[in-house]
Amino acid sequence: MTINQSGWKPTAPTAATSAGATTTGNRALMLEEPLIFEIGDSQSTGVDFAQPKPAASRLGGLARKREIGLPGLSEPEAVRHYTRLSRQNYAIDLGLFPLGSCTMKHNPRLNEKMARLPGFADIHPLQPQETVQGALELINRLAFWLIDLTGMHGVAMSPKAGAHGELCGILCIRSALEARGDARSVVLVPESAHGTNPATAAFAGYKVEDIPATAAGRVDLAALKARLGPDVAAVMITNPNTCGLFEPEMKAISDAVHAAGAFVYCDGANFNAIVGKVRPGDLGIDAMHINLHKTFSTPHGGGGPGSGPVVLSEALSPYGPLPFAAKYPDGSFKMVEEEHAADEHPDNFGRMVAFHGQMGMFTRALSYIISHGADGLAQVAEDSVLNANYVLRSLEGVLDAPFAHSGPCMHEAIFSDRGFADGFSTIDVAKALIDEGFHPMTMYFPLVVHGAMLIEPTETESKAALDQFIAALRSIAERARAGDEALKTAPVHAPRRRLDETLAARKPVLTYQTPAPDGAEPGVGTEIGGR
């Protein structure tokens, strides 16, 4: 058995190997897959090209000085390699994806069909605007849907993701404070907020201070009021919060913050739980990003794509970024950019992105909204809350649920590792879930719960699917409470065994190098991108 370059340990073959036979590492139809560099070599190619005619190089000092180091594969080899890798991945199209706070739900194929229409998929951001009127109308129409659903005054469509939207909102707040000559230096962040909130505030140049949570998992209103003062620029609050709970005192929080001359930023990552039911603008929110890829269903994860429009109150709308799609009296649409900003949006703080946002995300989101309608969006929230509470109440007898006494949860249920046998923790439960055919839940987050297990089933899972997941997790939890040592070896049936996560984080192998003969230095000619 060997360790490959990625640091993963192949699962040992379970079948006996006859004399003279080779061991492939394959497990039935789950094929052991080497790295692409181990399949092909840099001295061969999968395609034959005619020898090009000699020509003078125009690269100058940019000409490559050594081999590119990429392996040459035939088309079948390349296709099979990536197909085999895809079969070792988990996806929402395979089963329930219980990642808390991530809202990994089914993505209707209608949305994908709309996003692939040539008039949306094949346009270029530098096209003349008169040739993309339909795309600009779509952006404008989606913007008004978001304003209507949130009860806000304006919206910035260009931010590319949730954290990007947070930054946009904080920059709007900073611009508003600067416009009135008010220098404030502190942003308050409750313990139950998303982890990106304090990072965003710090990135924008603010000092971050925590606000404690109550025993019920909500913001301590008395502690918040006690800290408010002339140095506080904003409070960044997540509602529903990361404990899966709605903040019932949200209006009182907003009133107190506004009375102190500060602004309220709401992390809208969990908007899926309240869409069509609660309008954040009615709660006194000044700015809130909406993760289109979560609430309005777009494939996400693995780094993208994403989109995080920011809805703004009347106080902050004048400071929103450029560009934005505007409709004119003659029915035409135009992107308002720097050359028109002095007349139409003079107080903007600048630009968040090079162009206009993520067209595919806009198209999918509007398709989702229109196909559901107002009543359908309200049902999205109702069903997501129903499913989360079903998971919470079905498992609270075997898993510690620290906020179960606080009443119904919202979109996600949170459990702790309290009650496990000595030496057992959340990681053991998560790895055992892989053997049961499920992606693990979010682990060790939020930090206010020890050994947190955060589960968000979303609204798209049936009762049958939830029952199957609950049964698997209940069985594993009982084993953890009983101290079943076999949990320490999980996963057993996955293509790879348990990774040394500390070693992987501290000493990751990010560059492939050709294994060297015994006693020699590893080859460096195969580094990707080397010159």
Side-chain angles (χ1 to χ4, degrees):
M1 189 181 299
T2 61
I3 304 294
N4 68 15
Q5 292 291 316
S6 65
W8 288 84
K9 191 174 184 179
T11 301
T14 56
T17 304
S18 60
T22 59
T23 302
T24 64
N26 295 341
R27 297 171 64 84
L29 296 179
M30 182 60 72
L31 305 181
E32 174 64 28
E33 187 62 17
L35 301 179
I36 196 168
F37 295 95
E38 297 167 335
I39 300 174
D41 62 78
S42 60
Q43 306 305 311
S44 61
T45 178
V47 181
D48 292 327
F49 292 104
Q51 189 68 25
K53 296 178 180 179
S57 173
R58 293 178 290 175
L59 296 176
L62 298 177
R64 181 173 291 278
K65 303 219 173 18
R66 55 190 170 96
E67 294 296 325
I68 191 171
L70 296 178
L73 273 69
S74 67
E75 182 172 300
E77 288 176 319
V79 170
R80 288 171 181 169
H81 171 72
Y82 289 108
T83 301
R84 287 170 180 167
L85 289 181
S86 73
R87 295 182 67 234
Q88 296 181 9
N89 198 11
Y90 192 87
I92 191 64
D93 288 344
L94 289 174
L96 186 152
F97 218 126
L99 282 173
S101 195
C102 289
T103 318
M104 303 290 284
K105 60 184 181 180
H106 172 70
N107 304 287
R109 295 308 184 260
L110 171 65
N111 303 351
E112 297 301 309
K113 184 176 182 179
M114 295 299 102
R116 284 165 172 74
L117 291 173
F120 300 135
D122 297 340
I123 59 176
H124 192 281
L126 296 181
Q127 278 184 237
Q129 293 194 22
E130 60 269 19
T131 68
V132 290
Q133 286 293 294
L136 297 183
E137 180 180 1
L138 185 149
I139 297 173
N140 183 263
R141 184 174 297 187
L142 175 60
F144 276 92
W145 263 104
L146 297 180
I147 291 171
D148 194 46
L149 285 168
T150 58
M152 300 291 268
H153 183 269
V155 61
M157 296 296 292
S158 58
K160 294 294 188 68
H164 202 211
E166 289 174 25
L167 180 61
C168 175
I170 292 297
L171 292 179
C172 287
I173 290 171
R174 187 172 70 181
S175 296
L177 292 171
E178 290 175 350
R180 71 188 193 199
D182 193 353
R184 296 178 177 233
S185 59
V186 175
V187 170
L188 305 180
V189 181
E191 291 179 347
S192 58
H194 268 158
T196 50
N197 293 179
T200 295
F203 185 81
Y206 288 101
K207 179 183 176 182
V208 179
E209 294 185 18
D210 293 337
I211 297 297
T214 66
R218 271 91 171 190
V219 174
D220 188 326
L221 180 57
L224 173 65
K225 288 181 176 180
R227 178 57 190 87
L228 288 171
D231 61 336
V232 174
V235 172
M236 296 186 75
I237 189 167
T238 303
N239 192 27
N241 68 30
T242 311
C243 297
L245 304 171
F246 190 77
E247 296 285 352
E249 296 182 304
M250 189 66 238
K251 188 64 170 65
I253 291 171
S254 297
D255 290 344
V257 172
H258 292 153
F263 292 92
V264 180
Y265 185 90
C266 182
D267 187 312
N270 301 330
F271 190 51
N272 192 66
I274 60 174
V275 61
K277 306 293 289 186
V278 177
R279 301 197 315 168
D282 298 336
L283 302 177
I285 304 299
D286 291 297
M288 184 182 85
H289 76 265
I290 303 172
N291 301 69
L292 296 187
H293 48 289
K294 294 176 65 174
T295 301
F296 302 116
S297 174
T298 289
H300 74 294
S307 186
V310 179
V311 287
L312 301 167
S313 67
E314 188 171 1
L316 292 185
S317 286
Y319 307 99
L322 298 172
F324 61 90
K327 184 177 182 179
Y328 288 83
D330 64 356
S332 66
F333 294 85
K334 182 178 72 175
M335 274 289 177
V336 176
E337 306 202 51
E338 282 81 355
E339 56 267 36
H340 310 294
D343 298 325
E344 302 187 47
H345 198 47
D347 296 324
N348 72 87
F349 71 74
R351 181 179 278 266
M352 290 293 294
V353 297
F355 297 113
H356 317 313
Q358 228 291 12
M359 194 66 219
M361 304 295 294
F362 297 154
T363 307
R364 294 180 181 97
L366 186 60
S367 174
Y368 184 86
I369 290 171
I370 292 175
S371 62
H372 279 74
D375 56 342
L377 291 176
Q379 186 178 349
V380 163
E382 293 168 359
D383 289 349
S384 67
V385 171
L386 175 64
N387 281 354
N389 279 278
Y390 183 64
V391 170
L392 175 66
R393 299 306 171 185
S394 297
L395 289 169
E396 64 178 334
V398 68
L399 284 173
D400 175 60
F403 301 120
H405 65 281
S406 301
C409 64
M410 295 298 290
H411 57 298
E412 57 195 359
I414 190 166
F415 303 95
S416 80
D417 60 0
R418 188 167 176 261
F420 290 174
D422 290 344
F424 288 82
S425 65
T426 296
I427 190 72
D428 301 313
V429 173
K431 296 301 183 182
L433 266 176
I434 296 174
D435 279 336
E436 298 293 336
F438 292 104
H439 192 286
M441 73 293 282
T442 296
M443 302 180 294
Y444 302 114
F445 178 79
L447 300 179
V448 295
V449 173
H450 188 274
M453 290 172 275
L454 193 59
I455 298 171
E456 182 177 5
T458 81
E459 73 281 1
T460 56
E461 299 304 329
S462 67
K463 182 176 180 297
L466 294 180
D467 285 339
Q468 186 180 31
F469 173 75
I470 289 166
L473 187 50
R474 172 176 286 278
S475 172
I476 295 167
E478 289 172 347
R479 292 168 62 195
R481 295 174 74 91
D484 183 355
E485 288 295 328
L487 283 182
K488 295 291 186 180
T489 63
V492 175
H493 301 299
R496 295 291 183 270
R497 301 300 293 272
R498 192 179 299 199
L499 179 70
D500 184 334
E501 299 191 17
T502 301
L503 182 64
R506 295 181 178 177
K507 296 183 179 180
V509 179
L510 302 178
T511 303
Y512 177 80
Q513 294 184 329
T514 304
D518 292 342
E521 290 293 323
V524 296
T526 54
E527 289 187 73
I528 302 174
R531 290 180 55 212

